[in-house]
Amino acid sequence: MNIAYIGIGSNLNSPIAQVTRALLELDQLDNSYLLAYSSLYQSSPMTLDDNSDEQENYINAVAKLATSLEPLDLLDKLQAIENSHERVRKKRWGARTLDLDILLYDHTIITSDMSNGRLVIPHYGLKERDFVLAPIVEINPTLTLPDNSQVSDLLNHCQQYNLKKLEWTH
């Protein structure tokens, strides 16, 4: 079994319910089981400079998953879950019902050349986003990335998105 960390985010159609349902669906994936998940966090949306769309805040979490699925197979399963939540891909960093990203997959490094551009592991934005780093630190405060950087150190120096831990009973 491999260990994957999955970033979860939503800001449309009852985001807390979307994230909660996604956690249940991750726990039901074939050849996988949910080991742990973080609290829910609220964050400001990421926007492009030319993005004038107003968006609601996001609800984020991270799940730690044991899986025997290969990374691209896991990606396919995650995208199927997104599609079942009526995910629409219109604009980069646009509003969404559900976003599931493979943040880490053991200490594997996958570049876009190796996956035809579909997948990069560790996730390209992992080191700069408090809304994924804080939940990872909550689950595994001593986690080290493939480049030997500590997630707890990265969290202290990353971009801030007005992150707020939510009081939520699971």
Side-chain angles (χ1 to χ4, degrees):
M1 284 290 204
N2 302 291
I3 302 298
Y5 287 84
I6 310 299
I8 307 166
S10 174
N11 75 338
L12 292 176
N13 300 349
S14 303
I16 291 175
Q18 296 281 359
V19 171
T20 304
R21 191 171 119 211
L23 285 167
L24 294 171
E25 291 167 324
L26 288 173
D27 195 31
Q28 296 170 358
L29 276 180
D30 292 338
N31 305 307
S32 305
Y33 57 93
L34 190 60
L35 294 173
Y37 56 91
S38 71
S39 300
L40 298 184
Y41 291 81
Q42 179 180 290
S43 66
S44 299
M46 295 177 58
T47 58
L48 296 171
D49 291 336
D50 64 349
N51 185 354
S52 60
D53 294 343
E54 287 294 320
Q55 290 188 49
E56 296 296 320
N57 287 331
Y58 275 81
I59 300 300
N60 302 101
V62 168
K64 181 179 179 182
L65 196 66
T67 185
S68 60
L69 295 170
E70 292 298 316
L72 284 172
D73 294 331
L74 178 58
L75 178 63
D76 288 341
K77 300 278 187 192
L78 297 179
Q79 289 178 341
I81 293 171
E82 288 177 343
N83 292 340
S84 76
H85 285 248
E86 300 177 0
R87 164 78 188 262
V88 176
R89 290 173 170 79
K90 286 184 180 176
K91 179 195 295 195
R92 185 173 190 192
W93 298 336
R96 57 203 62 186
T97 55
L98 185 64
D99 186 29
L100 298 173
D101 291 322
I102 302 173
L103 303 172
L104 294 165
Y105 185 94
D106 284 333
H107 268 68
T108 302
I109 297 172
I110 298 177
T111 63
S112 60
D113 293 342
M114 296 168 59
S115 65
N116 296 323
R118 286 191 64 213
L119 182 63
V120 174
I121 297 176
H123 187 277
Y124 67 91
L126 173 67
K127 292 182 176 184
E128 295 91 34
R129 299 175 181 169
D130 63 348
F131 57 86
V132 291
L133 289 171
I136 291 173
V137 168
E138 179 184 334
I139 295 170
N140 187 349
T142 61
L143 184 66
T144 302
L145 300 184
D147 67 0
N148 292 321
S149 56
Q150 296 282 325
V151 290
S152 56
D153 291 339
L154 294 169
L155 178 58
N156 293 327
H157 300 95
C158 71
Q159 186 165 349
Q160 303 296 307
Y161 291 93
N162 300 312
L163 195 66
K164 179 177 140 184
K165 188 175 179 179
L166 299 180
E167 295 299 322
W168 174 64
T169 57
H170 355 277

